[in-house]
Amino acid sequence: MKTVLVIGASRGIGLEFVRQHVAAGDKVFATHRTEDDRIKLRDMGANTLKLDVMNVSDIAGLAWQLDGEKMDVAIVNAGVYGPRTSTVLQSPTDEEFDNVMRTNVLAIMRLVPIVAPLLEPARGTLAFISSKMGSISNAWASYGMLYRTSKVALNMVAKLAHTDFSARGVRVLTLHPGWVRTDMGGPNAEIDVKESIDGMRRVIADDTNFASGGFYDFRGASIDW
Ligand SMILES: NC(=O)c1ccc[n+]([C@@H]2O[C@H](COP(=O)([O-])OP(=O)(O)OC[C@H]3O[C@@H](n4cnc5c(N)ncnc54)[C@H](OP(=O)(O)O)[C@@H]3O)[C@@H](O)[C@H]2O)c1
């Protein structure tokens, strides 16, 4: 039995990670923002933790609630897309910028020093759910500019977490889940959550082929930064 933490577990990709890990018999900690989601996750068999990643006292609360837990896997999944209209021709408002960058970047910077040490005792894996849209090498169009920019920054945070924590036994992965049918991915996306999470769990479980510091998609292909 592994101990697994899923940050941003209420729906979509995070919820499917919870479903699969509970089904595998793992001890799962799952974060939520609403009471309805707490009940849903509890009824699925997860240990629930209230966390709005924008709220510093929630992040501090996470630290003491998980104090002493030895995590095998932590999945940092919470994220927002922001305005669908963002391109190089249409810049975001202050409010749009703050919402996306605080959720996808600042919150992750604040979570790393809380979550990464929990993985040290079991030499576990810290997996950041990023996106191929955050690959500068693969940037062929400017739609989703704000989201892409936030995921580029997330990728740097993940790489820096690798530089500091791999020496302390923590394996750090940056993952692209594919284009997935969720609220964010929309109904026309290429794959369902089961295929995405089946694939990412295979990558997370295979520390021989998928080394710390890498950027991989759900099929295990390496992605250029
Ligand atoms: N779907 C895709 O095609 C795709 C592709 C590439 C990467 N991704 C990435 O995969 C991750 C999950 O995406 P998804 O498709 O599952 O999106 P989703 O269905 O929109 O779900 C987003 C999740 O993030 C949580 N979240 C957002 N803001 C939060 C906050 N301030 N505090 C705590 N939790 C917060 C949401 O919680 P609430 O329910 O409380 O809002 C929800 O659990 C994201 O990081 C996304 O960028 C998705």
Side-chain angles (χ1 to χ4, degrees):
M1 182 179 85
K2 290 191 180 306
T3 303
V4 178
L5 169 66
V6 182
I7 291 180
S10 59
R11 54 197 164 98
I13 287 167
L15 184 63
E16 179 65 9
F17 266 115
V18 172
R19 196 190 66 73
Q20 292 199 14
H21 279 291
V22 168
D26 294 332
K27 179 180 183 183
V28 179
F29 290 91
T31 81
H32 61 87
R33 289 197 284 186
T34 69
E35 179 61 8
D36 283 354
D37 288 329
R38 184 189 71 77
I39 291 166
K40 175 174 67 184
L41 291 163
R42 181 202 64 190
D43 290 350
M44 287 169 70
N47 301 279
T48 58
L49 302 162
K50 188 173 180 308
L51 176 70
D52 183 331
V53 298
M54 301 274 254
N55 185 323
V56 283
S57 50
D58 278 6
I59 291 181
L62 188 74
W64 67 257
Q65 288 178 87
L66 291 175
D67 190 32
E69 292 292 342
K70 294 180 176 63
M71 293 290 163
D72 296 290
V73 177
I75 296 152
V76 180
N77 169 73
V80 292
Y81 191 89
R84 298 276 161 182
T85 51
S86 176
T87 71
V88 286
L89 298 175
Q90 192 164 344
S91 48
T93 64
D94 286 359
E95 193 184 342
E96 289 167 341
F97 183 89
D98 285 351
N99 183 41
V100 174
M101 296 301 274
R102 282 173 172 270
T103 307
N104 294 1
V105 186
L106 178 60
I108 310 305
M109 290 175 170
R110 288 176 171 154
L111 283 164
V112 168
I114 306 287
V115 174
L118 300 171
L119 295 149
E120 285 180 38
R123 302 181 72 81
T125 297
L126 173 58
F128 294 93
I129 308 302
S130 181
S131 171
K132 198 171 180 177
M133 288 180 75
S135 161
I136 292 176
S137 307
N138 286 285
W140 308 115
S142 77
Y143 68 87
M145 177 179 70
L146 179 56
Y147 176 76
R148 286 177 190 273
T149 306
S150 75
K151 291 297 192 183
V152 172
L154 166 65
N155 289 354
M156 178 59 89
V157 176
K159 194 75 176 186
L160 297 179
H162 158 72
T163 65
D164 283 17
F165 280 95
S166 62
R168 295 158 69 168
V170 179
R171 174 170 164 250
V172 180
L173 303 177
T174 304
L175 299 178
H176 169 59
W179 183 23
V180 192
R181 288 189 289 279
T182 62
D183 292 340
M184 186 186 293
N188 299 322
E190 282 168 1
I191 58 170
D192 61 19
V193 284
K194 182 174 182 311
E195 184 175 356
S196 172
I197 281 66
D198 281 344
M200 288 192 286
R201 286 183 59 221
R202 272 195 291 275
V203 172
I204 291 167
D206 182 353
D207 56 6
T208 307
N209 290 306
F210 304 107
S212 187
F215 185 8
Y216 308 104
D217 76 6
F218 71 105
R219 294 193 175 97
S222 196
I223 300 175
D224 290 334
W225 296 101

